[in-house]
Amino acid sequence: MKKRVTFLTAAFQSFKKSRKRSEVRMKPLKIGHRGAAGYCPENTFASFYKAIELGVDYLEIDLQMTKDGELVIIHDSTVNRTTNGKGKVKDMTLQELQSLDAGSWFDPKFMGEKIPSFHEFLNEFAGKACLLIELKKPSLYPNIEIKLAEELKSRGLDKANDHRIIVQSFDRNALQRLHHLLPAVPLGVLVKNRSISRIADKDLKSLSNYISYVNPKKTMVSKRLIKRIQRHGFKTFIWTVKTKKEANLFNRLNIDGIVSDFPDYL
Ligand code: G3P
Ligand code: CA
């Protein structure tokens, strides 16, 4: 039996611990990469609105921090690729960042889109979809984990052990710090370049003390890898699907979610 999982309630149900994957084969959750980055400038309000319109279960976002300690949503550690400015995010204030145009590089019709602060993003989108928050290069930003924890706690979003909020990162040290700050928030480790094949079973076991998701890059995915991840009790999201062919392929796997620039392909 295969059924479409839609939006918050169903997403929550799909994660109930009691569910046995062998009993009901759920279709993977639909996760909008940087919103709907195939259609709109990534990590902007336009992109997040589009993803919601396309019926995503989760919005995936990337977090970095400004010179004045504000959390902002941008993928790169510089503004060079996705705005009309130049420079490092960590060397600019929120006001400086938000004076930049984050839309025109993608298409002139998006001129005027801004780099959103995390605060603004939560005001607008928390509750409209589940959130998959990536801490990007946390080693560049001392105490970014504390800022994130404070922002989620101030909104009561730190009690999100129903998986409506998930935080992921490549950085396992940052994830360990987050686990202490936000013990109820599920955490995911991102893996690529076969790094997981080099993780011994005993290390995977210790990872499972604070990690709920192991999320591999699509190029390293195999049924064997998925089984290994699941055998250790992790859930798994695969990233990043960009074609219909890939969407069809991965939709057939027994995984928890797929991150895509084109969420409608899922
Ligand atoms: O959700 C995982 C994916 O977003 C990680 O890669 O480079 O797109 O942030 P990246
Ligand atoms: Ca990301």
Side-chain angles (χ1 to χ4, degrees):
M1 178 185 171
K2 211 170 185 184
K3 78 184 186 191
R4 167 90 276 210
V5 179
T6 52
F7 213 43
L8 301 174
T9 307
F12 168 52
Q13 283 169 352
S14 82
F15 285 118
K16 277 186 181 166
K17 276 202 166 152
S18 59
R19 181 171 74 103
K20 287 205 177 96
R21 301 199 64 83
S22 54
E23 284 172 7
V24 180
R25 173 133 145 62
M26 311 292 283
K27 207 170 171 192
L29 293 167
K30 206 192 242 200
I31 306 166
H33 186 231
R34 311 178 196 171
Y39 295 109
C40 297
E42 64 189 53
N43 284 328
T44 61
F45 269 33
S47 191
F48 302 134
Y49 287 130
K50 181 70 182 174
I52 299 284
E53 182 195 316
L54 296 176
V56 295
D57 299 297
Y58 279 83
L59 290 171
E60 191 263 356
I61 62 167
D62 302 293
L63 276 194
Q64 316 236 14
M65 196 162 75
T66 64
K67 186 179 171 183
D68 48 347
E70 298 291 335
L71 296 176
V72 281
I73 304 182
I74 180 167
H75 178 272
D76 299 359
S77 51
T78 75
V79 299
N80 304 2
R81 181 178 61 86
T82 57
T83 75
N84 58 345
K86 276 207 180 333
K88 291 181 181 167
V89 174
K90 72 181 177 68
D91 294 338
M92 302 169 85
T93 63
L94 179 63
Q95 197 181 16
E96 285 166 342
L97 280 170
Q98 292 199 319
S99 69
L100 302 174
D101 175 3
S104 298
W105 70 275
F106 187 86
D107 188 306
K109 75 178 179 203
F110 292 108
M111 185 168 57
E113 284 296 324
K114 301 273 175 257
I115 297 172
S117 70
F118 186 48
H119 190 79
E120 292 163 340
F121 170 82
L122 290 175
N123 285 347
E124 186 63 21
F125 296 103
K128 292 196 172 116
C130 300
L131 306 179
L132 177 61
I133 300 165
E134 180 178 353
L135 267 194
K136 215 69 194 161
K137 307 247 178 83
S139 57
L140 290 178
Y141 308 107
N143 296 329
I144 189 170
E145 303 87 357
I146 293 174
K147 286 274 174 185
L148 173 60
E150 282 172 356
E151 184 69 58
L152 294 180
K153 280 181 181 170
S154 72
R155 294 165 186 266
L157 295 174
D158 60 315
K159 299 166 184 68
N161 54 10
D162 54 7
H163 294 240
R164 291 177 195 205
I165 307 263
I166 301 167
V167 182
Q168 63 173 359
S169 186
F170 285 103
D171 186 323
R172 289 177 204 169
N173 295 326
L175 289 169
Q176 266 179 332
R177 288 192 287 275
L178 270 174
H179 177 61
H180 292 293
L181 293 162
L182 296 168
V185 173
L187 302 178
V189 65
L190 286 160
V191 287
K192 59 179 176 183
N193 302 334
R194 309 233 157 250
S195 49
I196 190 155
S197 327
R198 292 195 292 270
I199 305 178
D201 277 356
K202 70 171 174 34
D203 296 327
L204 275 178
K205 209 169 165 207
S206 75
L207 211 57
S208 70
N209 292 330
Y210 65 99
I211 294 291
S212 304
Y213 292 78
V214 173
N215 298 338
K217 188 174 179 176
K218 65 184 175 191
T219 47
M220 57 183 291
V221 167
S222 64
K223 284 189 179 164
R224 192 160 163 244
L225 175 69
I226 299 300
K227 276 193 183 147
R228 185 164 184 244
I229 289 171
Q230 290 170 345
R231 199 168 60 238
H232 287 275
F234 300 109
K235 299 178 187 304
T236 188
F237 292 161
I238 289 173
W239 50 280
T240 299
V241 161
K242 295 180 191 264
T243 67
K244 287 185 177 163
K245 196 174 161 195
E246 287 171 346
N248 290 335
L249 187 73
F250 291 125
N251 255 331
R252 288 201 288 268
L253 292 181
N254 189 24
I255 53 176
D256 299 284
I258 300 176
V259 181
S260 180
D261 285 348
F262 301 92
D264 49 329
Y265 290 0
L266 307 173

